[in-house]
mmCIF file of all heavy atoms in Angstrom:
data_model
loop_
_atom_site.group_PDB
_atom_site.id
_atom_site.type_symbol
_atom_site.label_atom_id
_atom_site.label_comp_id
_atom_site.label_asym_id
_atom_site.label_seq_id
_atom_site.Cartn_x
_atom_site.Cartn_y
_atom_site.Cartn_z
ATOM 1 N N HIS P 1 -10.320 7.147 12.119
ATOM 2 C CA HIS P 1 -10.589 5.714 11.963
ATOM 3 C C HIS P 1 -10.783 5.353 10.485
ATOM 4 O O HIS P 1 -10.225 4.353 9.997
ATOM 5 C CB HIS P 1 -11.831 5.340 12.764
ATOM 6 C CG HIS P 1 -12.345 3.956 12.470
ATOM 7 N ND1 HIS P 1 -11.700 2.817 12.901
ATOM 8 C CD2 HIS P 1 -13.433 3.534 11.750
ATOM 9 C CE1 HIS P 1 -12.362 1.750 12.476
ATOM 10 N NE2 HIS P 1 -13.413 2.163 11.771
ATOM 11 N N LEU P 2 -11.547 6.141 9.770
ATOM 12 C CA LEU P 2 -11.780 5.873 8.348
ATOM 13 C C LEU P 2 -10.484 5.932 7.542
ATOM 14 O O LEU P 2 -10.225 5.078 6.687
ATOM 15 C CB LEU P 2 -12.793 6.870 7.787
ATOM 16 C CG LEU P 2 -14.243 6.706 8.258
ATOM 17 C CD1 LEU P 2 -15.106 7.849 7.730
ATOM 18 C CD2 LEU P 2 -14.815 5.357 7.800
ATOM 19 N N LEU P 3 -9.678 6.936 7.826
ATOM 20 C CA LEU P 3 -8.436 7.109 7.070
ATOM 21 C C LEU P 3 -7.430 6.007 7.383
ATOM 22 O O LEU P 3 -6.784 5.460 6.478
ATOM 23 C CB LEU P 3 -7.829 8.477 7.371
ATOM 24 C CG LEU P 3 -8.586 9.690 6.810
ATOM 25 C CD1 LEU P 3 -7.989 10.988 7.347
ATOM 26 C CD2 LEU P 3 -8.551 9.687 5.286
ATOM 27 N N GLU P 4 -7.275 5.672 8.659
ATOM 28 C CA GLU P 4 -6.249 4.709 9.054
ATOM 29 C C GLU P 4 -6.686 3.261 8.857
ATOM 30 O O GLU P 4 -5.884 2.421 8.437
ATOM 31 C CB GLU P 4 -5.880 4.919 10.532
ATOM 32 C CG GLU P 4 -5.145 6.222 10.815
ATOM 33 C CD GLU P 4 -3.662 6.158 10.478
ATOM 34 O OE1 GLU P 4 -3.256 5.256 9.708
ATOM 35 O OE2 GLU P 4 -2.911 7.007 10.981
ATOM 36 N N ASN P 5 -7.929 2.961 9.158
ATOM 37 C CA ASN P 5 -8.383 1.567 9.165
ATOM 38 C C ASN P 5 -9.157 1.160 7.919
ATOM 39 O O ASN P 5 -9.408 -0.032 7.712
ATOM 40 C CB ASN P 5 -9.233 1.303 10.406
ATOM 41 C CG ASN P 5 -8.444 1.511 11.693
ATOM 42 O OD1 ASN P 5 -7.244 1.258 11.744
ATOM 43 N ND2 ASN P 5 -9.110 1.984 12.726
ATOM 44 N N LYS P 6 -9.547 2.124 7.103
ATOM 45 C CA LYS P 6 -10.257 1.810 5.859
ATOM 46 C C LYS P 6 -9.435 2.203 4.627
ATOM 47 O O LYS P 6 -9.205 1.378 3.745
ATOM 48 C CB LYS P 6 -11.618 2.525 5.836
ATOM 49 C CG LYS P 6 -12.529 2.160 6.994
ATOM 50 C CD LYS P 6 -12.852 0.673 7.030
ATOM 51 C CE LYS P 6 -13.753 0.313 8.204
ATOM 52 N NZ LYS P 6 -14.046 -1.130 8.282
ATOM 53 N N LEU P 7 -8.998 3.481 4.583
ATOM 54 C CA LEU P 7 -8.232 3.936 3.424
ATOM 55 C C LEU P 7 -6.826 3.346 3.395
ATOM 56 O O LEU P 7 -6.380 2.846 2.356
ATOM 57 C CB LEU P 7 -8.156 5.469 3.419
ATOM 58 C CG LEU P 7 -7.238 6.093 2.365
ATOM 59 C CD1 LEU P 7 -7.768 5.814 0.962
ATOM 60 C CD2 LEU P 7 -7.097 7.593 2.591
ATOM 61 N N GLN P 8 -6.117 3.400 4.507
ATOM 62 C CA GLN P 8 -4.708 2.999 4.512
ATOM 63 C C GLN P 8 -4.494 1.540 4.123
ATOM 64 O O GLN P 8 -3.549 1.241 3.383
ATOM 65 C CB GLN P 8 -4.081 3.287 5.884
ATOM 66 C CG GLN P 8 -2.560 3.180 5.907
ATOM 67 C CD GLN P 8 -1.881 4.170 4.963
ATOM 68 O OE1 GLN P 8 -2.245 5.333 4.912
ATOM 69 N NE2 GLN P 8 -0.892 3.694 4.216
ATOM 70 N N PRO P 9 -5.337 0.593 4.565
ATOM 71 C CA PRO P 9 -5.150 -0.792 4.100
ATOM 72 C C PRO P 9 -5.257 -0.938 2.590
ATOM 73 O O PRO P 9 -4.536 -1.743 1.981
ATOM 74 C CB PRO P 9 -6.266 -1.559 4.824
ATOM 75 C CG PRO P 9 -6.528 -0.764 6.058
ATOM 76 C CD PRO P 9 -6.360 0.667 5.635
ATOM 77 N N ILE P 10 -6.159 -0.174 1.982
ATOM 78 C CA ILE P 10 -6.286 -0.207 0.520
ATOM 79 C C ILE P 10 -5.007 0.334 -0.123
ATOM 80 O O ILE P 10 -4.486 -0.233 -1.085
ATOM 81 C CB ILE P 10 -7.509 0.622 0.070
ATOM 82 C CG1 ILE P 10 -8.797 0.006 0.609
ATOM 83 C CG2 ILE P 10 -7.558 0.716 -1.456
ATOM 84 C CD1 ILE P 10 -10.031 0.847 0.360
ATOM 85 N N VAL P 11 -4.503 1.433 0.426
ATOM 86 C CA VAL P 11 -3.257 2.017 -0.072
ATOM 87 C C VAL P 11 -2.109 1.030 0.099
ATOM 88 O O VAL P 11 -1.272 0.858 -0.806
ATOM 89 C CB VAL P 11 -2.948 3.331 0.670
ATOM 90 C CG1 VAL P 11 -1.546 3.831 0.321
ATOM 91 C CG2 VAL P 11 -3.985 4.393 0.328
ATOM 92 N N ASN P 12 -2.054 0.357 1.248
ATOM 93 C CA ASN P 12 -0.973 -0.597 1.508
ATOM 94 C C ASN P 12 -0.985 -1.736 0.493
ATOM 95 O O ASN P 12 0.063 -2.176 0.011
ATOM 96 C CB ASN P 12 -1.103 -1.163 2.921
ATOM 97 C CG ASN P 12 -0.833 -0.128 3.995
ATOM 98 O OD1 ASN P 12 -0.272 0.922 3.721
ATOM 99 N ND2 ASN P 12 -1.234 -0.422 5.211
ATOM 100 N N LYS P 13 -2.182 -2.210 0.180
ATOM 101 C CA LYS P 13 -2.299 -3.309 -0.797
ATOM 102 C C LYS P 13 -1.819 -2.849 -2.176
ATOM 103 O O LYS P 13 -1.095 -3.573 -2.867
ATOM 104 C CB LYS P 13 -3.754 -3.775 -0.855
ATOM 105 C CG LYS P 13 -3.966 -5.042 -1.679
ATOM 106 C CD LYS P 13 -5.426 -5.483 -1.639
ATOM 107 C CE LYS P 13 -5.843 -5.857 -0.228
ATOM 108 N NZ LYS P 13 -7.237 -6.400 -0.195
ATOM 109 N N TYR P 14 -2.208 -1.639 -2.558
ATOM 110 C CA TYR P 14 -1.791 -1.102 -3.856
ATOM 111 C C TYR P 14 -0.277 -0.871 -3.887
ATOM 112 O O TYR P 14 0.387 -1.218 -4.863
ATOM 113 C CB TYR P 14 -2.519 0.201 -4.139
ATOM 114 C CG TYR P 14 -1.977 0.961 -5.340
ATOM 115 C CD1 TYR P 14 -2.276 0.561 -6.638
ATOM 116 C CD2 TYR P 14 -1.143 2.064 -5.152
ATOM 117 C CE1 TYR P 14 -1.763 1.239 -7.734
ATOM 118 C CE2 TYR P 14 -0.627 2.743 -6.243
ATOM 119 C CZ TYR P 14 -0.934 2.335 -7.524
ATOM 120 O OH TYR P 14 -0.418 3.010 -8.596
ATOM 121 N N SER P 15 0.254 -0.300 -2.821
ATOM 122 C CA SER P 15 1.684 0.015 -2.793
ATOM 123 C C SER P 15 2.524 -1.256 -2.788
ATOM 124 O O SER P 15 3.604 -1.302 -3.392
ATOM 125 C CB SER P 15 2.019 0.876 -1.583
ATOM 126 O OG SER P 15 1.834 0.170 -0.371
ATOM 127 N N TYR P 16 2.028 -2.307 -2.127
ATOM 128 C CA TYR P 16 2.761 -3.578 -2.123
ATOM 129 C C TYR P 16 2.824 -4.159 -3.534
ATOM 130 O O TYR P 16 3.877 -4.625 -3.975
ATOM 131 C CB TYR P 16 2.093 -4.563 -1.173
ATOM 132 C CG TYR P 16 2.763 -5.921 -1.164
ATOM 133 C CD1 TYR P 16 3.952 -6.119 -0.462
ATOM 134 C CD2 TYR P 16 2.216 -6.994 -1.866
ATOM 135 C CE1 TYR P 16 4.582 -7.348 -0.461
ATOM 136 C CE2 TYR P 16 2.836 -8.232 -1.876
ATOM 137 C CZ TYR P 16 4.015 -8.408 -1.168
ATOM 138 O OH TYR P 16 4.634 -9.625 -1.168
ATOM 139 N N ALA P 17 1.699 -4.104 -4.210
ATOM 140 C CA ALA P 17 1.677 -4.605 -5.596
ATOM 141 C C ALA P 17 2.614 -3.793 -6.484
ATOM 142 O O ALA P 17 3.309 -4.338 -7.341
ATOM 143 C CB ALA P 17 0.246 -4.552 -6.142
ATOM 144 N N LEU P 18 2.666 -2.492 -6.237
ATOM 145 C CA LEU P 18 3.530 -1.621 -7.030
ATOM 146 C C LEU P 18 4.993 -1.911 -6.749
ATOM 147 O O LEU P 18 5.821 -1.973 -7.674
ATOM 148 C CB LEU P 18 3.208 -0.153 -6.719
ATOM 149 C CG LEU P 18 3.893 0.909 -7.577
ATOM 150 C CD1 LEU P 18 3.466 0.779 -9.029
ATOM 151 C CD2 LEU P 18 3.561 2.304 -7.047
ATOM 152 N N ARG P 19 5.312 -2.141 -5.473
ATOM 153 C CA ARG P 19 6.711 -2.406 -5.102
ATOM 154 C C ARG P 19 7.194 -3.731 -5.676
ATOM 155 O O ARG P 19 8.320 -3.837 -6.161
ATOM 156 C CB ARG P 19 6.875 -2.435 -3.579
ATOM 157 C CG ARG P 19 6.658 -1.114 -2.883
ATOM 158 C CD ARG P 19 7.281 -1.111 -1.492
ATOM 159 N NE ARG P 19 6.931 -2.282 -0.711
ATOM 160 C CZ ARG P 19 5.885 -2.358 0.102
ATOM 161 N NH1 ARG P 19 5.059 -1.329 0.196
ATOM 162 N NH2 ARG P 19 5.657 -3.439 0.803
ATOM 163 N N THR P 20 6.355 -4.734 -5.595
ATOM 164 C CA THR P 20 6.779 -6.060 -6.049
ATOM 165 C C THR P 20 6.871 -6.148 -7.562
ATOM 166 O O THR P 20 7.599 -6.991 -8.086
ATOM 167 C CB THR P 20 5.796 -7.128 -5.542
ATOM 168 O OG1 THR P 20 4.462 -6.775 -5.937
ATOM 169 C CG2 THR P 20 5.867 -7.253 -4.035
ATOM 170 N N SER P 21 6.158 -5.274 -8.262
ATOM 171 C CA SER P 21 6.207 -5.313 -9.728
ATOM 172 C C SER P 21 7.301 -4.419 -10.299
ATOM 173 O O SER P 21 7.643 -4.529 -11.472
ATOM 174 C CB SER P 21 4.860 -4.883 -10.320
ATOM 175 O OG SER P 21 4.584 -3.534 -9.980
ATOM 176 N N ALA P 22 7.848 -3.542 -9.457
ATOM 177 C CA ALA P 22 8.876 -2.616 -9.938
ATOM 178 C C ALA P 22 10.262 -3.216 -9.776
ATOM 179 O O ALA P 22 10.518 -4.008 -8.876
ATOM 180 C CB ALA P 22 8.793 -1.299 -9.163
ATOM 181 N N ALA P 23 11.151 -2.808 -10.647
ATOM 182 C CA ALA P 23 12.543 -3.242 -10.518
ATOM 183 C C ALA P 23 13.176 -2.520 -9.350
ATOM 184 O O ALA P 23 12.988 -1.320 -9.163
ATOM 185 C CB ALA P 23 13.313 -2.938 -11.805
ATOM 186 N N GLU P 24 13.953 -3.227 -8.546
ATOM 187 C CA GLU P 24 14.574 -2.638 -7.371
ATOM 188 C C GLU P 24 15.943 -2.075 -7.695
ATOM 189 O O GLU P 24 16.653 -2.552 -8.579
ATOM 190 C CB GLU P 24 14.698 -3.679 -6.264
ATOM 191 C CG GLU P 24 13.353 -4.149 -5.723
ATOM 192 C CD GLU P 24 13.531 -5.058 -4.546
ATOM 193 O OE1 GLU P 24 14.657 -5.542 -4.345
ATOM 194 O OE2 GLU P 24 12.541 -5.285 -3.820
ATOM 195 N N ILE P 25 16.303 -1.046 -6.925
ATOM 196 C CA ILE P 25 17.649 -0.460 -7.023
ATOM 197 C C ILE P 25 18.365 -0.812 -5.736
ATOM 198 O O ILE P 25 18.166 -0.160 -4.711
ATOM 199 C CB ILE P 25 17.590 1.051 -7.198
ATOM 200 C CG1 ILE P 25 16.702 1.410 -8.391
ATOM 201 C CG2 ILE P 25 18.981 1.648 -7.367
ATOM 202 C CD1 ILE P 25 16.483 2.903 -8.542
ATOM 203 N N PRO P 26 19.163 -1.872 -5.695
ATOM 204 C CA PRO P 26 19.715 -2.339 -4.419
ATOM 205 C C PRO P 26 20.767 -1.392 -3.856
ATOM 206 O O PRO P 26 21.692 -0.986 -4.541
ATOM 207 C CB PRO P 26 20.326 -3.694 -4.766
ATOM 208 C CG PRO P 26 20.632 -3.591 -6.234
ATOM 209 C CD PRO P 26 19.586 -2.711 -6.824
#
């Protein structure tokens, strides 16, 4: 529960910010 419902949302938020700020390779 801690890993999936507490840690993973934080990771998801960070990874989304990283993806949107990085240049994409289409």
Side-chain angles (χ1 to χ4, degrees):
H1 169 73
L2 289 174
L3 290 172
E4 291 280 19
N5 298 327
K6 301 300 179 182
L7 173 65
Q8 192 61 45
I10 296 173
V11 171
N12 292 344
K13 188 177 296 185
Y14 170 77
S15 66
Y16 177 78
L18 187 63
R19 293 199 311 269
T20 54
S21 64
E24 294 186 345
I25 306 174

